[in-house]
Amino acid sequence: MLFVDCKMVDILRGRRRLRVSVCKPPCSFWFLLLFGVGGLVLFIHLQDLSDMVLQQAPAGVKFRGSTQSRQEQCAQFSDRVNQRSEEGDIDPISPMQLPDSQWKRQAATPGSREHDPSSQQVTKRHRKLLKTSPVLRPHTNSSQSPSSSSSSRRLSDVQESRRRIIREVCGKYRSNISRTITPHHVSRIYVEDRHKLLYCEVPKAGCSNWKRVLMVLAGVANSTREINHVAVHYDNHLKRLDSFDHQGITKRLETYTKVLFIREPMERLVSAFRDKFESPNSYYHPVFGKPIISKYRVNASQTALKTGSGVTFREFIHYLLDVHRPVGMDIHWEAANQLCSPCHLHYDFIGKVETLEEDANFLLRKIGAPENLAYPSFKDGNPKAARTSTQITQHYFSLLNASERQRAYDFYYMDYLMFNYSKPYKDLY
């Protein structure tokens, strides 16, 4: 009996395995089924894409089916666009730039209530494709050309570099000075309230023309050309910062654009010497020339002692480097860092005479100056004399020996460091 039961169990198990094997489809059936499903999905997807292309095509462009080649379609599209452009319907479109109407449709959010009557209903599949597409940016016609924008970025980077160097030099060499700002620190700063501008005057670094610009900005004059030398220097049309009370000084230092223009120190020194001692001057000859000749010239003539005319460049350098000068210092050859105190006053803009026109006009645009106002290029003082150049400066310093050149460089050493000027002569250390 037990044997019969075991036989029956084996027979039933065999039938069950036979039934499973008979019902199990072959692998080829599954392969054909998956292939068919995949083809159906691909057909539906391609159909949706073709519908979307037809929807987004510009008005007047029709696609005639798959029998037409891509080259023929592109040629027809180009001909239609050119024809409509000539008729004035649309503007020519540069490559990779969507028409404005296309941008509006692409930019609309799914929940937006704005509706374009010419657009069809956007399906869920379309929205899904749009979400995964690259974000398009509208093409805007900027008032600045790419070259001017690049130039502006470059000049901004230059300004940041100049400010950074001043901060580093002040941190290294002037970290122990008092941070209290006194009237002396702002005594050379001119104020232009309308454009919120503070300009520190450095003589022989374009200051006369800068004063003309400030007078036009303040409304004192309509043009820089109508302002003569006397009006610039002696008519007191501009206010100095030290003429305000403490509150007025502090407020302007915190909120106004602080500007400083400097020049290569040796070149500035030679320019000052040529202007004050080689040209007729009713102030500098008697006030500075007479004591300089009296102390540093051997066997000076009575005429020279009486008039103070004819000071040589070497005599002038001896006076400059003498700790016991027979006459005091003057702003025309005082170091720029002493005149404008850049370690106390954190200047927003540092211009250089070597790039004067570019720096000045860049600043004027930034502060919102009138478009027709540009930094003037005419020469003040002695217009017939040649401008002091690098070659002229080298000629004057060739009259000195190595020790005198070194001491003159030491005198302006902080200016060379703060304003990032290289050594003018190889034998300097």
Side-chain angles (χ1 to χ4, degrees):
M1 189 66 181
L2 180 61
F3 175 78
V4 172
D5 292 339
C6 291
K7 279 290 186 176
M8 291 298 294
V9 171
D10 293 339
I11 291 171
L12 291 175
R13 289 180 179 175
R15 288 180 178 178
R16 190 173 296 146
R17 285 195 297 267
L18 180 60
R19 187 179 298 117
V20 171
S21 63
V22 170
C23 296
K24 182 178 181 181
C27 295
S28 58
F29 172 80
W30 292 110
F31 177 80
L32 291 175
L33 180 62
L34 291 174
F35 183 81
V37 173
L40 181 61
V41 172
L42 180 61
F43 175 78
I44 296 174
H45 181 68
L46 291 177
Q47 187 68 24
D48 288 341
L49 286 178
S50 62
D51 293 340
M52 186 172 67
V53 169
L54 289 174
Q55 175 189 348
Q56 294 186 351
V61 178
K62 297 181 179 179
F63 295 93
R64 299 183 179 178
S66 59
T67 58
Q68 188 176 19
S69 67
R70 185 181 299 271
Q71 288 81 3
E72 292 175 350
Q73 293 176 1
C74 292
Q76 288 186 0
F77 177 77
S78 177
D79 292 341
R80 290 178 183 271
V81 170
N82 292 334
Q83 180 180 0
R84 293 178 64 194
S85 176
E86 292 175 358
E87 294 173 356
D89 293 339
I90 61 172
D91 295 330
I93 303 173
S94 60
M96 301 304 293
Q97 178 185 336
L98 287 174
D100 187 62
S101 59
Q102 289 283 12
W103 159 248
K104 290 179 181 178
R105 288 201 296 271
Q106 294 277 359
T109 58
S112 175
R113 294 187 178 182
E114 295 181 3
H115 177 68
D116 187 354
S118 64
S119 65
Q120 300 177 5
Q121 181 70 26
V122 179
T123 65
K124 292 183 178 180
R125 183 177 296 276
H126 289 168
R127 283 199 293 268
K128 186 175 182 180
L129 289 173
L130 290 174
K131 288 179 182 178
T132 57
S133 301
V135 179
L136 299 176
R137 302 297 182 187
H139 178 76
T140 56
N141 293 325
S142 175
S143 59
Q144 288 186 337
S145 63
S147 60
S148 63
S149 177
S150 175
S151 176
S152 179
R153 288 194 299 269
R154 177 181 59 83
L155 293 174
S156 296
D157 292 341
V158 168
Q159 286 301 312
E160 175 56 34
S161 175
R162 291 174 181 175
R163 291 191 295 266
R164 175 181 53 81
I165 291 174
I166 292 178
R167 290 195 302 266
E168 291 175 355
V169 173
C170 291
K172 183 176 181 180
Y173 295 95
R174 300 288 177 84
S175 59
N176 58 344
I177 63 174
S178 173
R179 297 298 175 183
T180 302
I181 297 176
T182 66
H184 168 74
H185 294 130
V186 299
S187 62
R188 307 308 312 173
I189 295 181
Y190 288 92
V191 180
E192 202 288 287
D193 285 317
R194 292 174 63 179
H195 294 81
K196 296 186 176 182
L197 191 66
L198 300 179
Y199 166 72
C200 185
E201 175 191 31
V202 178
K204 313 311 298 180
C207 69
S208 297
N209 281 334
W210 263 117
K211 290 179 183 178
R212 290 183 171 93
V213 170
L214 294 179
M215 291 171 67
V216 173
L217 290 174
V220 177
N222 295 322
S223 171
T224 56
R225 292 193 173 275
E226 64 187 52
I227 308 173
N228 58 34
H229 180 81
V230 174
V232 168
H233 294 285
Y234 303 109
D235 285 356
N236 297 323
H237 290 292
L238 300 172
K239 293 182 179 180
R240 293 182 187 268
L241 188 55
D242 61 353
S243 65
F244 295 87
D245 58 18
H246 181 268
Q247 183 179 358
I249 293 174
T250 302
K251 178 182 177 181
R252 287 168 173 80
L253 286 175
E254 291 176 351
T255 59
Y256 284 22
T257 301
K258 298 179 287 297
V259 178
L260 168 65
F261 270 77
I262 42 84
R263 186 177 186 177
E264 203 282 333
M266 298 300 189
E267 189 173 301
R268 175 174 166 250
L269 179 65
V270 172
S271 177
F273 171 78
R274 295 177 66 210
D275 182 36
K276 305 307 178 187
F277 294 103
E278 289 189 344
S279 302
N281 194 296
S282 59
Y283 174 77
Y284 282 91
H285 287 191
V287 175
F288 286 86
K290 289 168 65 174
I292 288 175
I293 292 175
S294 176
K295 183 169 184 178
Y296 305 108
R297 182 178 299 181
V298 180
N299 299 324
S301 67
Q302 291 299 316
T303 302
L305 291 172
K306 183 178 180 179
T307 63
S309 301
V311 173
T312 66
F313 186 65
R314 171 168 281 178
E315 292 169 345
F316 174 68
I317 292 297
H318 286 175
Y319 145 77
L320 180 71
L321 303 176
D322 193 348
V323 294
H324 302 290
R325 300 185 188 95
V327 62
M329 278 295 293
D330 185 82
I331 61 172
H332 290 84
W333 44 84
E334 180 74 275
N337 74 87
Q338 295 293 325
L339 291 172
C340 296
S341 305
C343 291
H344 289 83
L345 313 175
H346 304 297
Y347 286 91
D348 304 295
F349 193 96
I350 300 97
K352 291 188 175 184
V353 169
E354 292 75 22
T355 53
L356 180 57
E357 183 177 356
E358 184 179 51
D359 289 347
N361 292 324
F362 176 58
L363 172 64
L364 291 175
R365 301 292 79 81
K366 286 185 72 68
I367 65 172
E371 290 293 332
N372 61 347
L373 177 60
Y375 184 84
S377 59
F378 48 87
K379 190 175 183 295
D380 201 40
N382 187 2
K384 294 183 179 180
R387 292 182 183 273
T388 302
S389 61
T390 302
Q391 291 75 18
I392 292 177
T393 302
Q394 291 176 348
H395 166 71
Y396 276 84
F397 273 88
S398 67
L399 305 175
L400 308 178
N401 57 42
S403 175
E404 291 166 338
R405 285 195 297 270
Q406 180 65 52
R407 293 176 62 201
Y409 174 73
D410 294 341
F411 185 85
Y412 293 104
Y413 181 66
M414 290 306 299
D415 277 6
Y416 275 97
L417 287 182
M418 284 188 183
F419 307 121
N420 197 29
Y421 285 108
S422 58
K423 294 180 180 180
Y425 304 100
K426 295 181 180 179
D427 59 351
L428 298 176
Y429 56 87

